[in-house]
Amino acid sequence: MRQELQSLPKTLAEDVAKNLVMVARLLDEDPEKAYGYARVALRLASRVAAVREAGGFAAYGVGKYAEALKEFRAARRMTGSAELWPLMADCERGLGRPEKALAMAGEPEVQRLDKAGQVEMRLVAAGARRDMGQADAAVVTLQSPELASNAVHPWTARLRYAYADALLAVGREGEARDWFAKALEADQAGTTDASDRLAELDGVQFTDALVEDDDEAEGRDQGQDGAAAGGEAQAGGGAEKAEKPE
């Protein structure tokens, strides 16, 4: 990215860089703000591939799939890289075109992806199958040497999780539970909710202690208010009785 920004005047390059840093920093925790910074960077330097790519990620993060696809395509034209291909296919899914996403999974660009990119493409293809109502085909799509491997990579947890979810969708609950457990085992970064899915399958229910405490406190307050109101009512009744003889 730094090399690409060197083509810009120094002051402009610094402004663009600051916005791109904010996009990267906020993309997960505040996608809307990240999108705002990306729009600023695009206004400043739309001819820089890194800016178009950042704009694509930011738009993707807030569900603006048409815009994201446009930016990803522009970045790909500028760089000639295939690494954005799975994201472009997932944008097609987001736009309600799973058939297009599935077709992209069979294009030559997939062979140019590294292992992580190929796994990502497989995940997108399986999602497209499910979008099309082909749940059994989604299961088959995810079956691969990467899934069968015991080695743990950054994408392993997500692949196992997707397979477990696909198995559950076709009623293979026992196998799904096993794969959710395998996903949890590989999920050192906590990128999935595999533990919650396991608990759900096992019939375990969690109670939020904070909510429970709040409810109990509210109940006590209401009880005290009721007692106070009752005391006032009794006092009022006594006053009425005292006035009647007059």
Side-chain angles (χ1 to χ4, degrees):
M1 182 181 72
R2 183 175 299 175
Q3 186 175 357
E4 292 181 50
L5 294 179
Q6 286 178 350
S7 63
L8 302 174
K10 183 179 179 180
T11 303
L12 178 58
E14 290 175 352
D15 289 343
V16 173
K18 289 176 182 177
N19 281 281
L20 293 182
V21 167
M22 294 305 296
V23 172
R25 184 177 298 172
L26 295 169
L27 199 56
D28 292 329
E29 62 184 62
D30 195 336
E32 288 290 346
K33 281 188 178 180
Y35 177 72
Y37 281 107
R39 295 305 302 169
V40 173
L42 283 165
R43 286 198 298 270
L44 294 173
S46 62
R47 295 185 179 181
V48 175
V51 173
R52 302 304 291 267
E53 184 174 329
F57 276 107
Y60 182 85
V62 294
K64 296 180 182 292
Y65 299 114
E67 185 177 335
L69 184 58
K70 173 188 171 184
E71 300 302 337
F72 287 146
R73 283 173 173 169
R76 180 170 172 268
R77 283 196 302 269
M78 293 175 178
T79 64
S81 172
E83 67 178 10
L84 295 172
W85 196 252
L87 281 162
M88 292 166 59
D90 207 36
C91 286
E92 295 288 1
R93 283 187 63 209
L95 291 168
R97 301 193 291 250
E99 297 88 353
K100 177 63 176 175
L102 200 57
M104 291 176 68
E107 293 291 335
E109 282 81 357
V110 177
Q111 303 306 315
R112 297 171 52 198
L113 297 169
D114 60 13
K115 184 61 67 177
Q118 290 180 3
V119 169
E120 195 65 38
M121 193 70 241
R122 191 177 290 277
L123 289 169
V124 173
R129 289 289 189 187
R130 292 185 66 172
D131 292 343
M132 297 163 65
Q134 301 173 4
D136 288 303
V139 172
V140 174
T141 298
L142 291 168
Q143 293 170 346
S144 62
E146 293 80 19
L147 180 67
S149 174
N150 290 323
V152 175
H153 301 278
W155 38 260
T156 301
R158 291 179 57 239
L159 179 59
R160 292 177 179 179
Y161 182 96
Y163 187 57
D165 200 40
L167 288 169
L168 194 60
V170 296
R172 294 161 63 176
E173 187 172 308
E175 293 174 81
R177 192 204 177 283
D178 291 342
W179 280 98
F180 277 128
K182 291 180 181 180
L184 179 60
E185 182 181 304
D187 194 5
Q188 299 173 353
T191 56
T192 73
D193 64 345
S195 61
D196 292 339
R197 301 298 297 276
L198 272 172
E200 183 180 340
L201 287 172
D202 291 340
V204 177
Q205 294 184 346
F206 296 101
T207 302
D208 191 327
L210 292 176
V211 173
E212 192 174 69
D213 289 345
D214 289 344
D215 290 343
E216 290 179 357
E218 184 178 347
R220 286 195 298 271
D221 291 342
Q222 290 176 350
Q224 292 170 356
D225 292 344
E232 290 173 2
Q234 291 176 0
E240 289 177 2
K241 290 178 182 177
E243 289 173 359
K244 282 180 182 178
E246 296 181 359

